[in-house]
Amino acid sequence: MGESIKKLNEVQQKVNILMVDDRPENLFALQSVLAYSNYNLVTATSGEEALKHVLQEDFSVILLDVQMPGMNGFETAKLIKARERSKQIPIVFITAISQALEHVKNGYSVGAIDYIFKPFHPETLRMKVKALVEMQQQQEQIKLQNELLRIIGETTTDTIVTFDHLGHILTVNEAVTNMFGYTSAECIDLHINRLVPTLHFRSSGENERIVETVALRKDKTKFPSDIQIGMAAVKKQQIFVCSIRDVTERKLSDEERFRRIFNATPCLIELRSLEDKRYMNVNESWLSYTGHTYEDIMNQTHEEIQYIMDLDGLGETSVGIFELTAPVRNARISYWTKSRDMREGLLSTEMMEIRGEACILSIITDITDRVAVEKEIAKFARLNLMGEMAAGIIHEIRNPMTTVRGFLQMSKNHPSTEYIDIMIEELDRTHNIITEFLSVTKTAATLRVPKQLNDIVQTLFPLIQAKAMVSDKYACMELGDCPPLSLDEKEIRQLILNLALNGLEAMSSKGVLTIKTYTNGPEVILEVQDEGCGIKEELLEKIGTPFFSTKVNGTGLGLSVCHGVAARHNAVMKVKTSEQGTKFLIHFNEENSPIDEPCSQA
């Protein structure tokens, strides 16, 4: 409000002052004294001329001579004060001869605010006029503020209430009748909680924010409202100002948008009461996927859908929506339909209040078709991999088989235990190639359970350390605090052994292999680092490809197995290399490490 008044005042840059005297030299003297840049000095030489100016313009001060021919100063002042628009203008009489007490009294009686005798002191007159101008401006501001407040109170559709520190209503605008059904007079001295039952007001700035609540009409019906409270101190007494806005239409609009989204979304959505667990609403997708009918569901309190999910890492169990202790976001679930078909989905829940009732909203994104497609893609990928690997494995197996056949022919004529040892060696090599090939081309049955990664590393470490000592190398481990992960222990052992043995083979004597575990945000990281010569940059993209190896007698299948194990654990395998060594990092995501169902071998 203060800023608005200030802007209005800026528009009125000049202050009008009317000077009335029948002698031009006196007017010239007044003009000389009051020659300010913000004063607009208007002169009149008679009472009649002064009245014409007052009818045409607004003045902040009138300086009026008493003794004038025709209409004297007293008569002029009386007529000015008789007019509604000009009665508040301060009038100062200036006279040289009418100094008798009865003349002074007469001047004040017709509305003068001051009486100055000639000759006057210029600075005194200047200061008096300045004070009167400021007083008049303040009065005009107050009038303007009151008028603006009146207009706002009459035109706004919001109910504006003032009340004391005890909550008793002091004033209220006319909007209260349309909004609440009370007259303004009926509201006086009522407690504010009669209008807003849940209103809490404090003697602090906490009242300034807009609060959504429920208001109560005279007929006891409720409606949604936005309220905002301000506080002022009047004569050391706290006065609160509360604006109440009816937001029924906005809420209805929000509900309409919610209803359209609710019905149009392909996700399964159900809305249930927290108080009695009854179904308040379900959308078309929910009915379509589950096979239930709207009539079967509405207002029922029993669980029509049971979710199968891993609750708090304790393994997969069947739970209902009200057994979830906190809202969930995209939790992997399975759920049964009415016909007892099991489908896959992602579940999210949210607590909310609708028309004053606490509810739980659950949303299921059905991913059954996506999961089926992913399984088919994985199946075809494995078949494709087998086809690509066929040419390579034929070559790898043909070499040892050729050696065995040759030594068998030689043994016909010259039997030798040395020949037999060589043939056994070659057959063992063939067996290892076939075993690794099968490891790459199958999805083994897995059973992941919460497990400490550090425990698996510690179990394997003596074996890795012994292997290192045989070749005059060293192994060490640096294990950090890590949360449990959902792991298949057999697969993780194979992953760690493959990476560790590869690292040991890549180093010369005295080299050190380091196995680390640590956390980085939501990730748990397994790190296997060697001190070998590193891997050339142009070969990095081929790492993990079957039958590609940087070792002389390597098949390249070991790292392929590692990639498969990481993928099945929702982990990412990264490699960093330099001339000082190579580092393999397996990033397990702590938050997204699901417990998978067992998969059959491809």
Side-chain angles (χ1 to χ4, degrees):
M1 180 67 74
E3 289 295 321
S4 301
I5 300 300
K6 182 179 179 182
K7 290 179 179 178
L8 287 171
N9 286 337
E10 288 174 356
V11 176
Q12 301 176 345
Q13 296 179 354
K14 291 287 186 178
V15 175
N16 291 332
I17 297 177
L18 179 60
M19 301 179 298
V20 187
D21 199 304
D22 62 310
R23 301 183 67 178
E25 61 271 20
N26 290 341
L27 292 175
F28 180 76
L30 290 173
Q31 285 177 317
S32 301
V33 171
L34 301 176
Y36 279 111
S37 59
N38 63 326
Y39 287 171
N40 179 35
L41 302 176
V42 179
T43 61
T45 57
S46 66
E48 291 82 359
E49 187 182 356
L51 290 175
K52 289 180 182 179
H53 285 299
V54 171
L55 289 172
Q56 295 170 356
E57 298 181 70
D58 292 328
F59 293 95
S60 296
V61 179
I62 298 176
L63 301 177
L64 186 58
D65 185 27
V66 176
Q67 296 294 330
M68 292 186 297
M71 186 184 296
N72 63 28
F74 297 141
E75 294 170 337
T76 304
K78 191 173 183 179
L79 290 173
I80 291 173
K81 292 296 182 178
R83 184 169 172 265
E84 183 66 27
R85 183 175 172 181
S86 59
K87 69 179 183 180
Q88 299 299 330
I89 302 175
I91 297 175
V92 177
F93 280 125
I94 301 178
T95 184
I97 57 176
S98 301
Q99 300 183 10
L101 181 60
E102 61 271 16
H103 292 293
V104 174
K105 288 182 178 179
N106 190 24
Y108 285 122
S109 68
V110 295
I113 199 169
D114 203 352
Y115 215 107
I116 297 177
F117 299 107
K118 299 177 184 178
F120 52 81
H121 190 276
E123 188 62 29
T124 301
L125 178 62
R126 192 179 296 120
M127 292 177 63
K128 283 190 176 185
V129 170
K130 182 180 178 182
L132 291 172
V133 167
E134 290 176 352
M135 181 180 69
Q136 182 69 5
Q137 288 177 334
Q138 289 176 359
Q139 289 178 349
E140 289 298 324
Q141 285 185 4
I142 293 171
K143 284 172 59 179
L144 182 57
Q145 287 178 356
N146 290 338
E147 185 65 15
L148 289 175
L149 289 173
R150 182 187 65 79
I151 294 172
I152 291 171
E154 290 177 356
T155 58
T156 183
T157 57
D158 295 349
T159 296
I160 310 296
V161 184
T162 64
F163 55 92
D164 61 21
H165 66 288
L166 297 177
H168 297 127
I169 295 175
L170 303 173
T171 63
V172 63
N173 66 340
E174 295 297 330
V176 73
T177 303
N178 289 332
M179 188 178 295
F180 288 91
Y182 293 100
T183 65
S184 300
E186 287 177 322
C187 292
I188 304 303
D189 290 333
L190 287 181
H191 197 278
I192 187 63
N193 290 144
R194 289 282 291 275
L195 304 182
V196 188
T198 59
L199 179 65
H200 299 285
F201 53 92
R202 299 181 178 87
S203 303
S204 67
E206 295 180 20
N207 298 309
E208 297 298 328
R209 61 189 182 91
I210 297 175
V211 178
E212 290 189 12
T213 187
V214 175
L216 185 66
R217 297 187 181 94
K218 185 178 180 180
D219 61 6
K220 304 303 181 185
T221 57
K222 297 179 180 179
F223 63 92
S225 63
D226 283 352
I227 65 167
Q228 187 173 18
I229 302 176
M231 187 191 71
V234 179
K235 295 181 179 180
K236 299 183 179 180
Q237 180 182 359
Q238 289 178 339
I239 302 296
F240 295 89
V241 180
C242 175
S243 68
I244 306 171
R245 174 167 296 177
D246 187 341
V247 294
T248 302
E249 290 186 8
R250 190 186 76 195
K251 289 292 183 181
L252 289 175
S253 178
D254 291 345
E255 287 184 17
E256 178 63 19
R257 284 196 295 269
F258 174 79
R259 185 186 65 79
R260 291 183 180 181
I261 296 171
F262 186 88
N263 289 327
T265 180
C267 299
L268 293 74
I269 305 179
E270 67 176 42
L271 185 66
R272 302 187 65 180
S273 169
L274 281 175
E275 182 179 354
D276 55 15
K277 301 184 180 181
R278 78 183 188 283
Y279 284 89
M280 299 173 65
N281 204 355
V282 294
N283 70 344
E284 291 293 334
S285 296
W286 193 97
L287 298 172
S288 175
Y289 277 104
T290 64
H292 292 283
T293 64
Y294 193 78
E295 291 73 18
D296 293 340
I297 293 298
M298 285 305 295
N299 297 319
Q300 298 299 316
T301 58
H302 56 276
E303 295 278 2
E304 291 294 347
I305 291 187
Q306 285 286 323
Y307 308 112
I308 299 172
M309 61 189 300
D310 178 24
L311 199 61
D312 299 327
L314 301 177
E316 292 189 342
T317 55
S318 180
V319 298
I321 194 70
F322 292 100
E323 294 176 62
L324 302 176
T325 56
V328 296
R329 294 288 181 274
N330 289 328
R332 181 70 177 268
I333 63 161
S334 300
Y335 68 96
W336 295 99
T337 66
K338 185 177 181 179
S339 58
R340 302 306 293 169
D341 293 328
M342 179 168 285
R343 300 188 66 85
E344 304 292 325
L346 300 174
L347 173 67
S348 297
T349 63
E350 186 66 54
M351 305 298 178
M352 60 174 53
E353 187 174 293
I354 296 181
R355 297 178 183 174
E357 184 171 4
C359 308
I360 180 170
L361 180 75
S362 61
I363 303 173
I364 301 174
T365 303
D366 190 280
I367 59 171
T368 306
D369 294 339
R370 191 183 81 187
V371 170
V373 170
E374 288 175 351
K375 287 180 179 179
E376 287 299 315
I377 291 174
K379 178 180 178 181
F380 283 116
R382 290 194 299 272
L383 292 173
N384 184 55
L385 178 60
M386 289 178 66
E388 291 178 358
M389 292 172 63
I393 199 167
I394 288 170
H395 175 75
E396 293 293 328
I397 293 177
R398 181 183 290 164
N399 289 337
M401 293 304 292
T402 300
T403 303
V404 171
R405 189 177 187 280
F407 278 106
L408 281 173
Q409 286 177 335
M410 293 173 63
S411 296
K412 285 182 179 181
N413 302 320
H414 305 285
S416 169
T417 56
E418 182 183 353
Y419 294 164
I420 294 172
D421 290 340
I422 292 174
M423 286 187 289
I424 290 172
E425 244 179 66
E426 293 299 310
L427 288 172
D428 286 342
R429 183 184 171 200
T430 302
H431 178 267
N432 289 336
I433 291 172
I434 294 171
T435 301
E436 290 185 342
F437 172 76
L438 292 176
S439 297
V440 174
T441 60
K442 74 178 182 179
T443 302
T446 62
L447 179 61
R448 279 189 255 172
V449 296
K451 188 75 179 177
Q452 282 285 354
L453 180 62
N454 289 348
D455 292 345
I456 300 175
V457 174
Q458 288 172 333
T459 301
L460 288 175
F461 189 71
L463 177 62
I464 296 170
Q465 198 172 36
K467 181 70 176 176
M469 292 176 65
V470 169
S471 55
D472 193 25
K473 299 167 188 175
Y474 303 95
C476 66
M477 59 179 180
E478 300 173 10
L479 306 182
D481 292 332
C482 301
L485 295 169
S486 177
L487 303 174
D488 182 315
E489 185 171 353
K490 289 175 62 177
E491 287 200 330
I492 298 301
R493 283 186 180 185
Q494 185 179 14
L495 170 73
I496 296 172
L497 279 175
N498 283 358
L499 294 177
L501 294 178
N502 282 349
L504 290 173
E505 290 181 17
M507 297 189 300
S508 57
S509 62
K510 306 301 182 183
V512 178
L513 179 81
T514 305
I515 301 175
K516 297 181 181 179
T517 61
Y518 53 91
T519 59
N520 182 17
E523 292 185 327
V524 176
I525 299 175
L526 168 66
E527 181 182 303
V528 180
Q529 182 176 7
D530 63 53
E531 293 181 350
C533 60
I535 303 171
K536 293 181 180 180
E537 186 175 349
E538 62 268 21
L539 302 180
L540 277 177
E541 63 181 19
K542 299 181 181 180
I543 293 296
T545 304
F547 301 110
F548 174 80
S549 177
T550 56
K551 296 182 289 186
V552 176
N553 296 317
T555 63
L557 296 176
L559 282 179
S560 294
V561 171
C562 292
H563 276 287
V565 171
R568 288 192 290 275
H569 283 77
N570 237 22
V572 178
M573 188 163 75
K574 300 179 182 179
V575 59
K576 296 180 180 179
T577 186
S578 67
E579 294 179 356
Q580 286 73 43
T582 301
K583 183 189 300 182
F584 283 90
L585 303 100
I586 314 299
H587 294 251
F588 297 92
N589 196 311
E590 177 188 348
E591 296 178 352
N592 298 316
S593 183
I595 296 180
D596 289 347
E597 295 179 1
C599 301
S600 59
Q601 182 172 318

